[in-house]
Amino acid sequence: MTKTPDSAVRSYIDQHRAAFLDDLASWLRIPSVSADPARSGEVRRSAEWLAEKLRETGFPVAEIWETGSASGDEGRGLPAVFAEWPSGEPDAPTVLVYGHHDVQPAAREDGWATEPFEPVVADGRMYGRGAADDKGQVFFHTLGVRAHLAATGRTAPAVNLKLLIEGEEESGSPHFAALVRRHADRLACDAVIVSDTGMWAEDTPTVCTGMRGLADCQIDLYGPDQDIHSGSFGGAVPNPATEAARLAAALHDADRRVAVPGFYDGVVELTERERELFAELPFDEAEWLRVARSHGTLGEAGHTTLERIWARPTAEVNGIWGGYTGPGGKTIVPSSAHLKLSFRLVAGQEVEKVREAVRDWVAERLPAGIRHEIVFPGATRPCLTPLDHPALRSLVRSMGRAFGQEVRFTREGGSGPAADLQDVLGVPVLFLGISVPSDGWHSVNEKVELDLLLKGVETSAYLWSDLAGSWTPGEDAR
Amino acid sequence: MTKTPDSAVRSYIDQHRAAFLDDLASWLRIPSVSADPARSGEVRRSAEWLAEKLRETGFPVAEIWETGSASGDEGRGLPAVFAEWPSGEPDAPTVLVYGHHDVQPAAREDGWATEPFEPVVADGRMYGRGAADDKGQVFFHTLGVRAHLAATGRTAPAVNLKLLIEGEEESGSPHFAALVRRHADRLACDAVIVSDTGMWAEDTPTVCTGMRGLADCQIDLYGPDQDIHSGSFGGAVPNPATEAARLAAALHDADRRVAVPGFYDGVVELTERERELFAELPFDEAEWLRVARSHGTLGEAGHTTLERIWARPTAEVNGIWGGYTGPGGKTIVPSSAHLKLSFRLVAGQEVEKVREAVRDWVAERLPAGIRHEIVFPGATRPCLTPLDHPALRSLVRSMGRAFGQEVRFTREGGSGPAADLQDVLGVPVLFLGISVPSDGWHSVNEKVELDLLLKGVETSAYLWSDLAGSWTPGEDAR
Ligand SMILES: [Zn+2]
Ligand SMILES: [Zn+2]
């Protein structure tokens, strides 16, 4: 396996660090807030700025990709950026880096200490909206690939490098799956590297090895044709609010395991090694509860908090409503009641099987006189990279060289567009992120730690050589 | 026991029937809609009209009683009418008739075939808002007492007769309990006769022997300090919507009995005789379901529908809400969730004990990390007249003479201001109503059947003599 000389990478980064940070600051000045229709022009400007910067970096292809109506979807989407830099070597692996260039809304009056779209460097940090989520983490790949070339003397990366940087992530990526399907040929690759997550802590570099999937549903229950008087009829006819509550309550057994028959079918259980790795992380439950703004832990018996949020499937009541909800009382049997549920899924669970299990379970539990409808608006599949996957080992090795520390493993409890890439392109998804929990994602005073940002650059610089030298795509599939 | 000669009563009623109906029609023309602030003047005119009519009838005392701010309550109430006609005999029982002179809103465009405040007599019925609920049923007592006097040759009724006709019943009687407490001395009596209910059917005269009580509560559950992300935290922290559902679901066991420990303590169970009497009523469950606008029956195992709505205590979810209830989905663990519950109570249950049982049950069931508040905004006690109560037997006898039929027994599942009279005055409450389910209470084309209305007059005419001759108040308490 070829190693990029670490000192060459580091000295290249040192030389170009100032210009790199200046460039990132310029990008952060573009308020590419995808949720704000008044700023859709800024999202476009951000895409154009990035495409131009990627061309400057050396990518022979850097295009704006339109989303939304062009694809036949409703509404007009916000542009993504696609770039491509072929290796020139016939057997090189192809890697697609995913990130996003849109940002969350931000305004000084929300409580920012500085103007959110006027980046400020102080105390070894760059403050500004998008510094960590996600412009900073997209941008470290630009200096990374240059350092990789400088240190190896190459004129093109050791892997076929592709980037897809979307502009609607903070608005729920409504057109992303369609975009990936439409351009599946050009996005074809052997692995996806997602640079839109974080690591455990400043002093604990980690690699995320999976995200949970998601299937949500709405259940509507109908009883009497209108609200009826609980004095005249209560106690003798079924009450849809009671039945909605009975459904929601029956979701979990006394051990807080999901009680829908078949729900756990196929679940890939944690190995003892994975449980040990989770347990070795310096987890402070009190601090975690503070961040969760919660006042107690509760979940599936036999599992730790980290196992519950990272590796176990769950059922959650996101909303419940029915009957009278105004001031005072109203003695009615309500006409209808409603539930919004979501299920987090882990590797081995199939969305369609979970839906069927839920459908059957609901239908079986309702008494005569309660009509129901159930819809499953969307779903995201889970993704999980085995710990012994060669590309993952390559990533961990590169990160270890950059940080000079053992790299540990985490997972992500949420669900994201990464799964669309996995599913449409049929390749594993790896996560390379250097953000830390204090970075203020979606909050005020968002920042990125400059030394971590440069470790990201360095990881990126080592990764392409390491991957090309240690991985023959297809090997992992055997 | 003295019996009023039935033929004398009947001929008196025949002679005065036309004028009686004319008078009732005049009263129905006054749109005394208590819920409409623009018509508070009409409610007052209705009270004044009734007081004047009661004076004409012979009541030596007929007064307007103000409610609301005069009593120190907030807001300005609508007037009640109080009338009194002493018997003149030292040992005569004292009876208080309760009814109301306000009516539900009504407009031709709601679907009335005629103008709601222009009474029309057709097909043996008088149509108009208030014909049955409640002006017609208040008014039959005026001709009733005159027929009683004419047939017995008395110049004053055989009982000390009092009337309290309130003007806010259709608005929830907000000032009624205070009014009764303020005038408890003048309202002192041995029994209350409520003429604001109905009977089973045209061909099935019945007497209602009890109403259920009511205790309602709101339970607020608080989890995370704000809605939090179900991907990052779901499955590891308590969810107040889940806990609200678990509470609501745990209200009933698999037999749909109320599962709050202690809830049934003291409940006066139905006797075999009472169950037989209920079972003998010509109950058509399909028709009942049609009226209930429901699509199935469901309730406490081991009891019939009539037992469930009339004689069994119940717990009902009137409202439940928490989390996201808008379109689409939102993957959150909600910060709070809320329940509005109400409990129908039967004789033997104490409001304060039920509240305590519910309080304890809620506190015990919630996991650490869920804070809760519980409030009990109001309560109405149940009332029940034993079947062998002498005043009830008197009422049944009088009604039987008027109808020439066996009188059966019903109960009322709802809860009403009658309980305030029972509780404040400490006397039994009896129900004398001649309305039938087709009368259109609170609906369009409200009417009263004229022959039933006159049976009400006749019952009233017999009742005062029968009560005076057969009941020594205090005997029932032995
Ligand atoms: Zn992001
Ligand atoms: Zn009424």
Side-chain angles (χ1 to χ4, degrees), chain A residues 100 133-134 169-170 196 441:
Chain A
H100 60 92
D133 178 21
D134 183 40
E169 200 274 345
E170 301 295 3
D196 186 28
W441 288 35

Side-chain angles (χ1 to χ4, degrees), chain A residues 437-459:
Chain A
S438 61
D439 280 352
W441 288 35
H442 298 204
S443 183
V444 297
N445 301 323
E446 182 179 343
K447 52 91 178 163
V448 66
E449 302 282 332
L450 296 185
D451 58 339
L452 297 182
L453 184 68
L454 297 170
K455 301 278 192 216
V457 172
E458 196 176 338
T459 303

